[in-house]
Amino acid sequence: MVSSGSWTGSSAITAGLLSAVASPLAPRLLGDRDRRKVLAAAMIVLALGNVLTAVADGFAMLMIARVVLGIGMGVVWGMASAIAARLVAPRSVALAVSFALGGVASASVLGVPLGTVVGNAFGWRVAFAVLAALAVLVAAGLIFLLPVLGRRGGPRRGRAGRSRVRASSPGSSSSVWS
């Protein structure tokens, strides 16, 4: 049986480490997939990780759940700022990225105490089930509210009003200014 005490550190470290690995890899591994769908799918993976955590009956299942959660969380963190930057005019990119990063920070800072309140009132499993439900709602919102966003959009305005166009060679991250 899983208790809320002794395994907490291991489960948090596992999710955090996998998030750190998945975050920079996600954009490179996802090719030209619609970023809106990728972000929504990552939220479903987060939901699955939380459901698995809520029903875990032993350490092995808890660790599997945290691996799933860590991968989903890493993809969300890796994609959120990039997507936010593409949704706004060039002059508002810094603000959009700040909001995306601020949302991650706020969720972390506010989520832990709120999760603790729910966990203390209804049990830790309910707290993870609530997180799963919220992740599914967010995934649905992403699908219905965001525009289709492929890997490469049209040219964006860059420095001094010049168009920035991505170089066409696969795997290249260089920009060409015109």
Side-chain angles (χ1 to χ4, degrees):
M1 179 169 210
V2 175
S3 71
S4 61
S6 63
W7 295 339
T8 304
S10 295
S11 70
I13 289 169
T14 299
L17 288 175
L18 285 194
S19 293
V21 170
S23 184
L25 290 177
R28 291 190 123 358
L29 296 176
L30 295 170
D32 291 330
R33 288 177 182 80
D34 179 358
R35 296 321 199 216
R36 166 189 62 125
K37 290 180 181 177
V38 167
L39 195 56
M43 291 304 298
I44 297 299
V45 171
L46 273 170
L48 177 61
N50 282 313
V51 166
L52 291 173
T53 300
V55 301
D57 61 355
F59 185 70
M61 182 62 167
L62 178 64
M63 291 289 85
I64 291 168
R66 303 311 280 175
V67 165
V68 170
L69 182 94
I71 291 168
M73 191 167 36
V75 173
V76 168
W77 289 353
M79 301 299 295
S81 295
I83 289 172
R86 293 180 58 194
L87 295 173
V88 298
R91 71 179 182 280
S92 301
V93 167
L95 183 61
V97 170
S98 296
F99 271 110
L101 294 176
V104 169
S106 297
S108 299
V109 170
L110 298 174
V112 171
L114 288 174
T116 301
V117 168
V118 171
N120 286 338
F122 304 103
W124 66 270
R125 293 179 190 276
V126 172
F128 283 100
V130 168
L131 286 173
L134 289 173
V136 169
L137 289 174
V138 169
L142 291 168
I143 290 294
F144 291 111
L145 298 174
L146 289 179
V148 174
L149 295 165
R151 181 181 205 175
R152 295 179 186 100
R156 264 188 31 192
R157 303 315 269 168
R159 290 180 256 165
R162 296 178 287 183
S163 290
R164 181 174 66 191
V165 180
R166 290 276 178 210
S168 60
S169 62
S172 173
S173 62
S174 61
S175 294
V176 177
W177 297 93
S178 60

